Amino acid sequence: MLSDARSLRREQEEQKRTHGCYYTAGATNPFALGAFRAWARLADLPQRRLLEPFAGQADLLRKLDSVGLLGASRAFDIAPTAEASKEVKKRDTLQDFPQGFDVCVTNPPWLARNSASLRGLCFPVCVHDDLYKHALEQCLQNCAYVAALVPESFIRSFSRFALFRARLHSFVSLTGALFDETAHPVGLAMFSPRPQNDIALYRNDVPLGGYGELQNCLPLLRKALLSKPLLSKKRVMRFNDPHGELGLFALDNTKEASIRFCRAEEVRGYEIGVSSRAITTIKIDHEVTKKFLKKINDVLDDVRKKTHDIFLTAYRGLRADGMYRRRLDWGLAKHLIDAV
Ligand SMILES: C[S@@+](CC[C@H](N)C(=O)[O-])C[C@H]1O[C@@H](n2cnc3c(N)ncnc32)[C@H](O)[C@@H]1O
């Protein structure tokens, strides 16, 4: 009996992961934000009929309704919950996407390809590294206007896929509580039928500037920020090297923006393994002087201020100042050292 219950629970958990059944049931309403309202005007909501193709228990429809932006709508899900079965029709929309809708608002299923293969879960045949990108592609191929809740990291990777690059209209980094079950950093990506001069970026209701504009602040770092291969300078730079003379606290603490370079002695007390990502020692081919440390930390602070951290990896959980904890990845760190 006990093992039956256990295997049922395991099966349910597996189903939940495969279909990414994590509902947007938190208190925050991203559709109340000015950036979404501006996009909704473009998409002619609530006049135009709306599609929610991955609706779960219809939380997004309720959130739209509560800000007066829900008109006629249809909602589908591969596994609608019993409570929502009147509003949400059962359908595999990845296989059979609903036709005849111009506007789509959704939170598609998220599942990383590597996590699916580690757990032996099904993953569709596609070019993407995450199921949400595959789902988003279906939405964009079928609807002129699409707004989707996606991992915040989307803003660092969208430019690698032509359809996303051509249609992204605006992007909001959201720090409110959207989910009950996960604290994953999340963003709201809004798409229109035509390419924009620049993609408007926001943190909640605060405009941060245009995507291109922010990148142009950083001519030296542009390539690294675009995740292109690093500049190929032939210089020694080895991360997680126990004999490295440069130290790096690469992850913000829980209070504030605290990423900084330092002398290796400062981090010697911490355990640094080959796969350390938060604290490291770096082997470089020159002396770590006081002047070098000041300069590199000033450049880092300047980059963070000018780009509002939008290009740094967001970490689960907010800092005490209400911002996402950020991590400086080795690619960008390498580029900073190179630049300084
Ligand atoms: C992250 S949840 C979001 C649910 C809802 N949009 C929300 O924001 O609360 C993703 C939903 O996609 C559904 N889903 C996954 N694969 C699907 C498919 N092939 N066709 C239709 N729905 C699917 C899951 O059942 C799940 O309810």
Side-chain angles (χ1 to χ4, degrees):
M1 274 307 254
L2 202 63
S3 71
D4 276 1
R6 248 189 234 133
S7 69
L8 179 65
R9 250 204 324 274
R10 220 181 4 250
E11 207 173 291
Q12 285 171 339
E13 189 52 37
E14 200 163 290
Q15 278 285 95
K16 191 169 168 171
R17 281 187 199 278
T18 306
H19 295 317
C21 299
Y22 301 96
Y23 305 131
T24 317
T28 302
N29 189 347
F31 307 137
L33 296 173
F36 181 80
R37 288 182 185 279
W39 174 87
R41 274 194 296 280
L42 269 185
D44 203 16
L45 286 181
Q47 280 72 28
R48 250 200 276 197
R49 204 164 63 117
L50 174 143
L51 171 69
E52 190 350 345
F54 308 100
Q57 51 184 17
D59 288 299
L60 292 189
L61 297 186
R62 275 186 277 283
K63 285 186 191 292
L64 282 165
D65 196 26
S66 76
V67 292
L69 288 171
L70 185 69
S73 68
R74 294 292 304 278
F76 301 93
D77 198 285
I78 197 165
T81 59
E83 304 77 49
S85 60
K86 274 211 185 106
E87 311 156 80
V88 183
K89 296 293 161 230
K90 187 175 168 68
R91 178 159 170 166
D92 182 339
T93 52
L94 285 178
Q95 291 288 337
D96 177 18
F97 199 90
Q99 302 296 303
F101 294 87
D102 278 336
V103 186
C104 165
V105 175
T106 192
N107 170 9
W110 305 5
L111 176 65
R113 181 189 284 274
N114 58 5
S115 158
S117 76
L118 261 173
R119 296 170 193 275
L121 304 176
C122 295
F123 197 86
V125 179
C126 68
V127 296
H128 299 291
D129 58 1
D130 196 297
L131 184 57
Y132 85 84
K133 293 183 186 168
H134 177 59
L136 197 51
E137 185 183 354
Q138 311 304 308
C139 298
L140 287 167
Q141 278 170 350
N142 290 283
C143 306
Y145 294 91
V146 175
L149 291 165
V150 292
E152 211 243 11
S153 58
F154 180 69
I155 198 61
R156 300 181 70 225
S157 67
F158 79 97
S159 64
R160 290 182 220 147
F161 192 62
L163 183 62
F164 300 158
R165 203 168 52 234
R167 304 265 304 271
L168 187 60
H169 170 274
S170 42
F171 183 85
V172 186
S173 167
L174 295 163
T175 54
L178 279 170
F179 308 118
D180 287 344
E181 291 186 90
T182 159
H184 206 101
V186 58
L188 175 63
M190 290 164 280
F191 299 84
S192 64
R194 277 167 295 281
Q196 301 301 301
N197 282 340
D198 205 354
I199 299 154
L201 302 178
Y202 300 82
R203 176 177 302 118
N204 302 323
D205 247 340
V206 181
L208 304 179
Y211 177 83
E213 191 190 329
L214 293 198
Q215 284 197 322
N216 284 336
C217 297
L218 316 156
L220 272 173
L221 299 168
R222 259 192 108 188
K223 285 199 172 168
L225 294 173
L226 281 166
S227 309
K228 287 202 174 140
L230 288 162
L231 300 183
S232 59
K233 286 208 176 146
K234 282 198 180 119
R235 60 181 353 171
V236 178
M237 227 187 274
R238 258 194 323 270
F239 286 72
N240 296 335
D241 183 323
H243 306 296
E245 43 288 280
L246 180 62
L248 171 61
F249 290 98
L251 179 65
D252 282 337
N253 62 30
T254 53
K255 283 199 202 130
E256 61 210 344
S258 62
I259 299 172
R260 67 185 171 90
F261 290 88
C262 60
R263 287 187 199 279
E265 293 75 65
E266 250 196 83
V267 302
R268 289 274 187 241
Y270 297 90
E271 197 176 315
I272 296 167
V274 280
S275 57
S276 290
R277 287 281 173 276
I279 299 175
T280 188
T281 42
I282 311 160
K283 181 93 198 139
I284 54 173
D285 58 6
H286 56 86
E287 206 190 330
V288 178
T289 60
K290 212 168 157 189
K291 194 169 157 204
F292 171 80
L293 283 177
K294 174 156 178 19
K295 180 114 189 259
I296 196 162
N297 283 322
D298 284 352
V299 172
L300 173 62
D301 289 348
D302 192 45
V303 168
R304 297 194 69 170
K305 235 176 261 149
K306 284 189 174 142
T307 61
H308 306 276
D309 278 351
I310 206 87
F311 302 115
L312 293 193
T313 312
Y315 207 72
R316 271 163 209 262
L318 297 179
R319 302 187 315 229
D321 59 7
M323 306 291 179
Y324 280 124
R325 284 177 84 189
R326 299 281 173 173
R327 191 170 66 77
L328 181 65
D329 62 50
W330 291 177
L332 191 46
K334 202 165 181 179
H335 209 85
L336 274 167
I337 298 168
D338 216 21
V340 171

